[in-house]
């Protein structure tokens, strides 16, 4: 069956059309779906003008990344499905290598592509975690020649491009659209693991990505969503003891990060202040606290569906821990 590829677009400009073209130029055919998150630019008009074979779903409102993913999942029905950013370029043999890896590993629910910049800098091989679920992309920022790019089992796919079996997505359930941005794919892949589906990293399936095109690196907005959603996920998955340690572990981590200095500006060139960063963090913790009752309800639902969640997550954190 042909692989279904769903692209989440928000103000992707010409990058969207180039992404679709790289998918339609694959050595084996793929079906392409584009979910537009109420873009305010000309990206969809440019795509339509290019007359590239793809299905376009236009949302009247911005549903966030998770909401758009769910919209795509409703429209895709292939046994192998992909969700990805619009600012990607796929190597011509990416689909061929991806399918081969799935065939080599019938036990795998997902196959993670090698996502890297054209300069040779790696975006991610896998995902590693701290005890408080602080996530770090394995090999991020390393040159390809220095990174561990063996075919191996990893925690899950890097959020820029996620390739999985339909059965695995069904077992994990929908992404949580209330996350809106950041950490939604990490929470989703915890559920993939809890459902018994593993991920294989395939270095031959190459995708080129220039990071943070629409979500500005180092911005207070990005910090707010990533921290709030990390805390929400921690309440769902960690043991009670580890949940109670979150404030202390968070404080220690913030202090260690501050020692390295606060960036003077965000990725779009805007000036950053320590006050703005502190406000973003305070808002994230406050919202996570307000949402505590509903997160505890989600925790109970996961326990009912997956069994002893905190014990299973503890084992995952041991397997994919950030080195000191």
């Amino acid at each position: 069956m042909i692989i279904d590829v769903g692209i989440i677009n928000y103000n992707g400009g010409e990058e969207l059309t180039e992404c679709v073209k790289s998918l339609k130029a694959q050595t084996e055919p793929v079906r392409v779906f584009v979910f537009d998150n109420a873009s305010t630019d000309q990206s969809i008009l440019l795509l339509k003008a290019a007359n590239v074979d793809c299905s376009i779903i236009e949302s009247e409102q911005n549903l966030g990344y998770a909401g758009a993913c769910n919209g795509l999942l409703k429209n895709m029905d292939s046994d192998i499905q992909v969700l990805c950013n619009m600012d990607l370029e796929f190597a011509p043999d990416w689909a061929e290598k991806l399918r081969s890896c799935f065939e080599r590993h019938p036990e795998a629910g997902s196959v993670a592509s090698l996502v890297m910049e054209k300069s040779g800098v790696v975006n991610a091989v896998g995902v590693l975690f701290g005890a408080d679920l602080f996530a770090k992309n394995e090999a991020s920022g390393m040159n390809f020649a220095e990174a561990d790019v063996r075919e191996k089992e990893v925690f899950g796919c890097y959020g820029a491009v996620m390739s999985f079996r339909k059965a695995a997505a069904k077992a994990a359930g929908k992404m949580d659209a209330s996350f809106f941005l950041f950490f939604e794919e990490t929470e989703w892949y915890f559920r993939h693991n809890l459902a018994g589906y593993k991920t294989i990293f395939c270095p031959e399936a190459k995708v080129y990505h220039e990071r943070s095109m629409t979500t500005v690196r180092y911005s207070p907005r990005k910090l707010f969503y990533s921290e709030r959603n990390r805390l929400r996920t921690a309440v769902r998955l960690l043991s009670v003891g580890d949940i109670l340690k979150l404030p202390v572990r968070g404080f220690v981590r913030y202090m260690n990060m501050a020692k390295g200095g606060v960036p003077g500006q965000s990725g779009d060139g805007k000036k950053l202040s320590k006050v703005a960063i502190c406000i973003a963090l305070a808002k994230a913790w406050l919202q996570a606290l307000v949402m505590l009752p509903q997160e505890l309800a989600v925790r109970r639902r996961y326990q009912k569906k997956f069994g002893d969640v905190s014990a299973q997550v503890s084992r995952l954190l041991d397997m994919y821990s950030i080195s000191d």
Side-chain angles (χ1 to χ4, degrees), residues 26-240:
Q26 293 293 300
T27 54
E28 67 172 60
V30 299
R31 255 190 333 183
V32 178
F33 299 79
V34 175
F35 189 100
D36 183 64
N37 244 344
S39 293
T40 57
D41 70 350
Q42 303 295 307
S43 52
I44 294 299
L45 290 177
L46 290 170
L47 177 60
K48 291 178 178 178
N51 198 30
V52 186
D53 180 25
C54 65
S55 299
I56 301 174
I57 306 160
E58 297 184 65
S59 175
E60 294 182 356
Q61 59 181 324
N62 188 342
L63 302 179
Y65 195 78
C69 286
N70 290 336
L72 285 163
L73 288 171
K74 287 195 301 185
N75 286 273
M76 301 190 300
D77 60 9
S78 176
D79 288 340
I80 298 176
Q81 303 179 358
V82 181
L83 294 168
C84 68
N85 292 359
M86 73 283 177
D87 53 349
L88 304 175
E89 180 182 335
F90 292 81
D93 61 351
W94 166 80
E96 180 183 338
K97 300 298 186 183
L98 188 78
R99 180 184 293 280
S100 294
C101 191
F102 271 110
E103 291 173 351
R104 287 196 302 276
H105 297 277
E107 79 287 0
S110 296
V111 170
S113 302
L114 171 59
V115 186
M116 60 188 296
E117 298 173 13
K118 286 189 173 181
S119 64
V121 174
V122 174
N123 278 193
V125 168
V127 184
L128 303 176
F129 296 95
D132 60 352
L133 294 193
F134 174 72
K136 179 181 179 181
N137 292 322
E138 182 183 354
S140 177
M142 295 180 66
N143 290 322
F144 176 82
E146 301 170 346
D148 179 5
V149 290
R150 297 172 294 120
E151 184 170 294
K152 60 182 180 178
E153 185 174 347
V154 294
F155 165 78
C157 292
Y158 178 47
V161 52
M162 299 174 282
S163 310
F164 46 86
R165 298 187 194 275
K166 181 180 180 180
K170 184 177 180 180
K174 293 181 180 179
M175 286 194 193
D176 192 331
S178 70
F179 276 37
F180 195 73
L181 286 174
F182 299 113
F183 220 84
E184 64 281 282
E185 80 282 359
T186 306
E187 197 271 354
W188 197 48
Y189 265 99
F190 270 112
R191 284 187 269 142
H192 278 248
N193 280 279
L194 291 170
Y197 288 95
K198 68 180 184 179
T199 301
I200 299 296
F201 169 67
C202 179
E204 297 175 326
K206 295 181 180 178
V207 182
Y208 301 101
H209 180 218
E210 304 302 325
R211 290 178 291 184
S212 295
M213 178 180 171
T214 58
T215 51
V216 179
R217 203 178 302 185
Y218 308 127
S219 71
R221 179 171 180 257
K222 181 172 183 177
L223 180 61
F224 164 75
Y225 280 114
S226 59
E227 278 295 282
R228 185 198 68 171
N229 295 338
R230 176 187 65 83
L231 293 168
R232 294 177 62 190
T233 302
V235 173
R236 296 177 181 192
L237 302 179
L238 294 182
S239 68
V240 174

